[in-house]
C-alpha cells in the first residue's frame, strides 16, 4: 500500500526538458520540492497528489 498526499502547487521551475520540471508544493503550511515529470500539464494553483516526491495526478473538486 502506498500513501499519496494532496498539496497545492505554489511555484514551478521551468526547464528546457519537461522531465526536469520542479514545483514547490504546499502541504498545509509545509513546502516541499516535487517533480512534475509525470504531469507536464500541471500549472501554478493546481492541486496534486504526491508520492515520494513525484506529483502523480491532478485533483479536481469533482473527483469521485
Amino acid at each position: 500500500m502506498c500513501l499519496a498526499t494532496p498539496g497545492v502547487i505554489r511555484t514551478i521551475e521551468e526547464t528546457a526538458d519537461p522531465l526536469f520540471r520542479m514545483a514547490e508544493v504546499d502541504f498545509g503550511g509545509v513546502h516541499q520540492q516535487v517533480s512534475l515529470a509525470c504531469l507536464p500539464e500541471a500549472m501554478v494553483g493546481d492541486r496534486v497528489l504526491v508520492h515520494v516526491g513525484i506529483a502523480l495526478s491532478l485533483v479536481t473538486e469533482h473527483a469521485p
Side-chain angles (χ1 to χ4, degrees), residues 8-23:
V8 179
I9 296 175
R10 294 295 175 207
T11 62
I12 295 178
E13 180 183 329
E14 298 289 347
T15 62
D17 187 345
L19 288 177
F20 295 107
R21 286 178 74 212
M22 295 294 289

Side-chain angles (χ1 to χ4, degrees), residues 13-63:
E13 180 183 329
E14 298 289 347
T15 62
D17 187 345
L19 288 177
F20 295 107
R21 286 178 74 212
M22 295 294 289
E24 180 180 308
V25 177
D26 180 1
F27 298 99
V30 176
H31 296 252
Q32 186 72 34
Q33 289 292 316
V34 171
S35 170
L36 296 176
C38 295
L39 291 175
E41 70 277 13
M43 299 183 313
V44 172
D46 284 348
R47 295 179 187 275
V48 291
L49 284 178
V50 178
H51 177 64
V52 294
I54 301 173
L56 298 177
S57 67
L58 294 173
V59 179
T60 63
E61 290 183 29
H62 303 291

Side-chain angles (χ1 to χ4, degrees), residues 1-4 51:
M1 182 167 126
C2 66
L3 175 67
H51 177 64

